Amino acid sequence: MASILIVDDEAFLRDQLGRILGEEGYRVHGVGTGAEALDAVAGAPPDLVLLDLNLPDRHGIEVLRALKERDPDLLVIVITGYGSVESAVESLKLGAYDYVKKPFKADAIKLIVRLALETQRLRRRVRVLREREIGPGEPVIAESPAMQAVLDQVRDVAAHAETTVLITGESGTGKEVVARLIHNLSERASGPFLEVNCASIPGSILESELFGHEPGAFTDARKAKEGLLEAADGGTVFLDEVGDMEPGLQAKLLRFLETRRFRRVGGVRETAVDVRVVAATNRDLRDAIRSGGFREDLYYRLNVFPIHVPPLRERPEDILPLAQHFLERFARKFHRPLAAIAPDAQERLVGYPWPGNVREVRNLMERMAITCRGRELRASDLPAEIRGAAEPGPGRWVLPAEGCDLEALERDLARCLISQALERTGGNVSQAARLLGLPRGTLRHRMESLGLRSGPGADGIPSAPRPGGIAG
């Protein structure tokens, strides 16, 4: 359990805070002066400091500055009975997590402490994950066993600089990040990492992008052009969405993988290069082979070392560290105070299936950093589809740390789903009952017990309220 240091010259307040926070299971220690606070932190750094500004031996701002100089990551909440705008601004500039004025309610201080410690926990996890990254690019968030297994494969193949790699996985799972990590961990790290999306470039242009061309090879080819394979000599070429490559170009890629030699478009001279090829696809290439859309021999040339990146819904342990990482990044970029994810928002984020995977998390956190004005992201800030997300199944429901009212949750869930069914059917109770797998009479009884009314449809009764999601 977390340890908390209370720094206040009033013994009564130290005892009161100690009792309130001790009831929550925290280990609490109190001191009455700034000097004692600095000594306590030097001996055994706590997880959180509650710091009064009016101390007998020195001002709390000086203590805060000294604490932050000693440990910039130390979590400090300033508490004072003589607060001013200037002291609040100065405290926050020095890195205080929050600024609380006396008197305060016990429930309020419990909530602030819990949010602060949860934020610190997520920051530490993200920092550890960032330390695993070598070289430029996105860090690989790998708290889940599934992604830990992916990292093990990355380390294995990175040591063999010639081996071709095929990365599979849904769109947005981070296949490019994995490809860059393979490059960065290999002896090729000092060489170039060049990428091309095979799905976004027409076949004739893609051939020129990969192999280059000679003057006069085609219309507008007025001078020679070096291709990616030539430019990446000594490094890595990443072929994203290789499953969408046109059949004619597949044959040329196959020959290159067999010989590591190629001719520019319109050229006669062969060029040899030392390049590792890492390919990626969100398609099932075996299905593409059966349908005639992908060459079987090329598949086996690419699939020397396969790595599958699982979708985010199969690695829920990575959701909150990813969200915290992107939230902090965009908050810094947009100069926003947003730093924490509240427990109710955490529950919604973990409960959402993330069809867009990591890319969707990144985009959402960028949007939240723009639209949120407070210091924490709450469930009410999230889009409706995430606020109302609650997909049942193992690992999908998350019990909040403070527990929940199960009966109220079941009532809210029923209200939400019935409202959606009525909205979808234009208020037709019979059709809504079929959507919900209920007899019409049972649905009417449930609607009456929940205070719901249907809209003008086949049954001709007033409209249901628009659903607002499941209460947390």
Side-chain angles (χ1 to χ4, degrees):
M1 180 54 70
S3 61
I4 299 175
L5 175 65
I6 300 171
V7 186
D8 198 296
D9 60 337
E10 296 181 51
F12 170 77
L13 185 62
R14 292 200 304 270
D15 293 339
Q16 183 185 32
L17 278 171
R19 178 184 55 78
I20 291 171
L21 298 175
E23 290 174 354
E24 296 298 298
Y26 302 116
R27 298 193 309 273
V28 183
H29 175 59
V31 297
T33 67
E36 290 175 318
L38 294 175
D39 288 341
V41 170
D47 296 296
L48 171 66
V49 177
L50 298 179
L51 175 64
D52 186 22
L53 289 186
N54 296 285
L55 298 173
D57 58 338
R58 65 189 73 186
H59 196 274
I61 290 291
E62 296 177 19
V63 178
L64 174 60
R65 183 179 289 108
L67 289 173
K68 283 295 184 177
E69 287 175 354
R70 184 170 297 179
D71 182 4
D73 293 325
L74 183 63
L75 202 60
V76 181
I77 295 176
V78 169
I79 298 178
T80 182
Y82 304 95
S84 66
V85 173
E86 290 77 14
S87 63
V89 170
E90 181 67 9
S91 298
L92 296 176
K93 280 184 177 179
L94 288 172
Y97 173 81
D98 209 342
Y99 185 96
V100 180
K101 291 187 66 175
K102 302 175 187 176
F104 48 78
K105 294 184 179 180
D107 287 342
I109 200 69
K110 288 179 184 178
L111 178 61
I112 291 170
V113 166
R114 180 161 52 82
L115 287 173
L117 290 170
E118 177 62 15
T119 298
Q120 184 78 320
R121 185 181 69 84
L122 284 173
R123 284 177 176 170
R124 286 173 177 167
R125 287 166 66 185
V126 169
R127 185 166 59 251
V128 169
L129 293 166
R130 281 176 179 158
E131 289 171 356
R132 295 176 183 164
E133 178 191 6
I134 297 180
E138 293 285 358
V140 177
I141 303 298
E143 290 252 325
S144 64
M147 281 306 292
Q148 285 289 341
V150 169
L151 284 188
D152 289 342
Q153 291 180 291
V154 166
R155 294 186 190 101
D156 288 342
V157 77
H160 303 278
E162 306 299 323
T163 302
T164 303
V165 182
L166 178 61
I167 305 172
T168 58
E170 294 179 6
S171 179
T173 51
K175 297 188 291 296
E176 180 187 342
V177 174
V178 171
R180 285 185 179 275
L181 189 59
I182 292 171
H183 173 77
N184 292 338
L185 292 176
S186 75
E187 63 186 40
R188 298 181 179 273
S190 59
F193 178 91
L194 302 180
E195 59 182 293
V196 61
N197 188 305
C198 302
S200 63
I201 303 176
S204 58
I205 299 177
L206 180 59
E207 182 179 4
S208 174
E209 286 293 310
L210 283 176
F211 301 112
H213 62 254
E214 297 291 352
F218 50 83
T219 306
D220 297 330
R222 295 183 176 87
K223 59 182 180 179
K225 176 188 175 182
E226 183 181 65
L228 291 181
L229 293 174
E230 200 169 346
D233 194 16
T236 303
V237 167
F238 176 52
L239 305 178
D240 198 11
E241 302 305 343
V242 72
D244 294 298
M245 184 178 285
E246 294 184 358
L249 190 52
Q250 289 178 30
K252 295 187 177 182
L253 176 60
L254 173 64
R255 183 177 180 278
F256 169 75
L257 292 173
E258 290 174 338
T259 65
R260 301 292 167 171
R261 304 174 71 87
F262 66 92
R263 293 191 186 101
R264 288 181 177 177
V265 178
V268 294
R269 181 177 60 86
E270 284 199 335
T271 300
V273 291
D274 173 26
V275 169
R276 187 212 289 266
V277 173
V278 178
T281 181
N282 61 11
R283 298 180 61 189
D284 186 330
L285 293 185
R286 292 184 181 276
D287 284 347
I289 290 169
R290 285 189 286 270
S291 65
F294 201 81
R295 294 179 62 111
E296 186 173 17
D297 47 4
L298 176 57
Y299 170 74
Y300 288 116
R301 280 289 178 183
L302 291 172
N303 199 42
V304 177
F305 194 97
I307 296 177
H308 178 70
V309 183
L312 197 52
R313 63 182 174 275
E314 294 179 9
R315 44 186 176 110
E317 301 92 339
D318 296 332
I319 293 172
L320 292 181
L322 279 165
Q324 184 71 35
H325 163 68
F326 288 124
L327 187 68
E328 290 183 7
R329 172 200 285 184
F330 289 115
R332 287 193 302 269
K333 179 178 179 180
F334 302 137
H335 307 290
R336 299 290 194 185
L338 192 63
I341 303 175
D344 60 349
Q346 292 181 24
E347 181 181 353
R348 299 308 195 281
L349 293 174
V350 174
Y352 181 65
W354 298 106
N357 293 296
V358 178
R359 184 180 296 123
E360 188 177 6
V361 178
R362 181 190 185 280
N363 292 345
L364 175 66
M365 291 303 111
E366 182 174 5
R367 190 193 332 170
M368 294 299 96
I370 293 172
T371 59
C372 293
R373 295 292 183 267
R375 291 179 58 83
E376 64 176 357
L377 174 64
R378 299 179 180 275
S380 57
D381 299 317
L382 297 170
E385 67 271 17
I386 296 179
R387 286 200 311 271
E391 179 183 329
R396 190 59 62 186
W397 292 100
V398 177
L399 180 67
E402 69 275 13
C404 70
D405 185 336
L406 185 58
E407 290 184 0
L409 183 62
E410 291 174 345
R411 184 178 178 88
D412 287 339
L413 177 60
R415 179 189 297 273
C416 175
L417 295 179
I418 291 172
S419 296
Q420 289 183 54
L422 290 168
E423 184 178 46
R424 190 176 301 177
T425 60
N428 188 305
V429 177
S430 298
Q431 292 179 15
R434 282 195 291 273
L435 282 178
L436 296 169
L438 295 174
R440 184 174 181 277
T442 301
L443 177 58
R444 278 201 170 279
H445 175 73
R446 295 291 296 274
M447 289 168 57
E448 290 174 3
S449 68
L450 294 169
L452 292 175
R453 299 162 64 194
S454 62
D459 297 312
I461 36 188
S463 158
R466 187 177 186 84
I470 301 170

